[in-house]
């Protein structure tokens, strides 16, 4: 059931956890958010704001999921953003995380309500990393560029001297092919000219005769006139071809000097292509441009490094200023948070509670310049030590609850889910814990998953979760308990499956008090 709620908060969907892997799974939650200032966040995401907001998640058998808020499709990122403002789920895993530095840092930031300051620092940190990456890359490149500078200059000079043109290879190869076959081409052109117009039986003579024949009949029919026009077009085109062939033939002459010149030029192009393992002149020109970029960069290396270093220093100064500002927001809340936690923990039975928040400066990182550690002692005369080293299971649970209680005061969350946050607690302490939950429930909807009768007795509404094995597949069921059933279940929590009359009376007493 917590997994289903987790889906509404944007958690990852796993089809293996579905009841029936062949059917679509739909999880839906309705939240009354009329008393919470959430309209602005809905407007930011272009969502319809409704006092009764419905969040829905659908997962198909292929594992693909869709998310909706008030029937509007949204991304999981938006679902997580909205969901985090509607519900907070405490899990047993979260209690274990309490000892970790990153969790404690998030706690301080949440209590300090420093999200804007954190975002400013985060932006400056990213800019610093970007500038550092550019400078480090340029520094690394500069060493390589300096080592290769002479070779790059030699290659570039060779290509610049060659003065290559984009399409010259094709033109030169075509011109050389003509020069090498001049005799053959000239003979063929003379033959063509003979056939077109220079012999008595040439095509031109025949066409002139045909023209006369056409002219004698065009006046008889429009069709003949159209045919004559088509014929004239063809005849004129053949005359143009004849003139062009004559012009080419007159100009054609074998030039040994020109052929040698072209051969030398092509030889240079082929050598450059082979040397650089390229196949076309455009590729050589592109390679030349890349060499020019490297040469320019080498020539301007000192200026580039100076500018990059200046930019890096500037972003580093701003990042450190913002990290200091973030650190100060954290430091300001240490005393207040510690005082509230100590007061609560003493009320919850750890009478000799000592708690201190330790702040150590570290090298700047994505989270700032602070290493936060909660130091704790539950016993008189015992020095403060990291929470994870000294707190027992029950103490850990109470510290976690105290944190949830304090943070609930800070955050306007409609719903809090507390999953066995009372682990390791019993007796009078459990009663006090239940009373505190009752106080929280005046301002929030508190859903507590508990095995303690002292906690269950404080609830306004009691649901019983059980497994039904009557069918071929076990089903988890939930049932709302009314007064009589509720007394019985709390009595079972006290005395076992078959509660005695005394257990029943104890259950009633717990509920009344």
């Amino acid at each position: 059931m917590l997994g289903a709620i987790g889906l509404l908060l944007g958690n990852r969907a796993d089809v293996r956890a579905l009841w029936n892997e062949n059917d679509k799974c739909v999880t839906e939650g309705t939240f009354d958010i009329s008393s919470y200032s959430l309209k602005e966040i809905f407007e930011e995401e272009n969502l319809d704001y409704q006092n009764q907001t419905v969040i829905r998640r659908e997962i198909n058998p292929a594992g693909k999921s869709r998310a909706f808020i008030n029937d509007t499709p949204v991304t999981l990122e938006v679902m997580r953003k909205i969901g985090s403002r509607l519900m907070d789920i405490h899990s047993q895993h979260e209690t274990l995380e309490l000892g970790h530095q990153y969790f404690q840092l998030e706690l301080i930031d949440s209590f300090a309500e420093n999200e804007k300051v954190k975002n400013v620092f985060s932006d400056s940190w990213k800019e610093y990393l970007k500038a550092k990456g550019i400078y480090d890359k340029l520094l690394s490149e500069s060493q390589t560029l300096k080592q290769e500078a002479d070779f790059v200059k030699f290659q570039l000079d060779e290509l610049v001297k060659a003065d290559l043109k984009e399409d010259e290879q094709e033109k030169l190869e075509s011109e050389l092919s003509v020069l090498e076959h001049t005799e053959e081409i000239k003979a063929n052109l003379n033959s063509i000219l003979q056939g077109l117009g220079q012999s008595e039986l040439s095509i031109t003579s025949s066409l002139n005769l045909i023209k006369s024949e056409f002219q004698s009949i065009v006046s008889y029919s429009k069709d003949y006139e159209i045919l004559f026009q088509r014929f004239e077009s063809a005849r004129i085109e053949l005359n143009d071809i004849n003139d062009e062939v004559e012009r080419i033939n007159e100009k054609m002459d074998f030039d040994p000097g020109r052929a040698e010149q072209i051969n030398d030029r092509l030889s240079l192009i082929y050598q450059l292509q082979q040397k650089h393992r390229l196949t076309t002149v455009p590729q050589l020109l592109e390679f030349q441009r890349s060499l020019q970029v490297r040469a320019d960069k080498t020539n301007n290396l000192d200026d580039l490094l100076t500018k990059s270093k200046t930019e890096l220093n500037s972003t580093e100064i701003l990042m450190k200023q913002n990290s200091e500002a973030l650190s100060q927001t954290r430091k300001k809340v240490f005393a207040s948070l510690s005082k509230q936690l100590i007061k609560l923990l003493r009320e919850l039975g750890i009478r000799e509670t000592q708690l201190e928040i330790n702040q150590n400066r570290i090298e700047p990182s994505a989270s700032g310049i602070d290493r936060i550690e909660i130091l704790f002692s539950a016993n008189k005369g015992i020095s403060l030590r990291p929470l994870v080293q000294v707190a027992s299971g029950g103490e850990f649970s109470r510290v976690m609850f105290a944190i949830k209680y304090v943070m609930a005061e800070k955050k306007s969350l409609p719903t809090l889910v507390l999953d066995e946050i009372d682990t390791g607690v019993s007796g009078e302490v459990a009663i006090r814990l239940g009373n505190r939950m009752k106080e929280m429930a005046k301002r929030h909807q508190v859903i507590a998953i508990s095995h303690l009768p002292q906690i269950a007795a404080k609830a306004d509404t009691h649901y019983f979760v059980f497994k039904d094995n009557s069918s071929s597949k076990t089903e988890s069921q939930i049932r709302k308990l009314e007064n009589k059933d509720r007394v019985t279940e709390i009595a079972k929590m006290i005395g076992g499956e078959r509660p005695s009359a005394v257990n029943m009376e104890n259950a009633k007493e717990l509920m009344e008090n």
Side-chain angles (χ1 to χ4, degrees), residues 263-326:
N263 270 315
D264 289 345
R265 182 63 176 172
L266 286 172
S267 178
L268 172 63
I269 291 172
Y270 296 150
Q271 286 173 5
L272 290 172
Q273 288 173 344
Q274 186 175 15
K275 179 178 181 179
H276 298 296
R277 296 181 180 179
L278 300 171
T279 57
T280 66
V281 170
Q283 289 175 344
L284 283 171
L285 289 170
E286 181 60 34
F287 180 58
Q288 179 182 332
R289 283 190 285 270
S290 70
L291 289 174
Q292 188 65 58
V293 170
R294 294 177 70 182
D296 291 343
K297 187 176 274 191
T298 303
N299 295 334
N300 301 324
L301 205 53
D302 291 339
D303 287 343
L304 288 171
L305 279 169
T306 300
K307 288 179 182 177
S308 182
K309 182 65 174 175
T310 301
E311 178 66 17
L312 174 60
N313 290 339
S314 175
T315 58
E316 185 176 15
I317 290 169
L318 181 60
M319 178 271 293
K320 286 184 175 179
Q321 288 174 345
N322 291 333
S323 70
E324 288 288 351
L326 177 59

Side-chain angles (χ1 to χ4, degrees), residues 84 96 102 111 133 135 160 179 236 258 304 318 321 403 463:
S84 67
L96 298 176
Y102 71 86
F111 190 79
Y135 177 75
V160 170
L179 286 171
I236 292 170
R258 178 57 182 163
L304 288 171
L318 181 60
Q321 288 174 345
I403 288 169
Y463 289 90

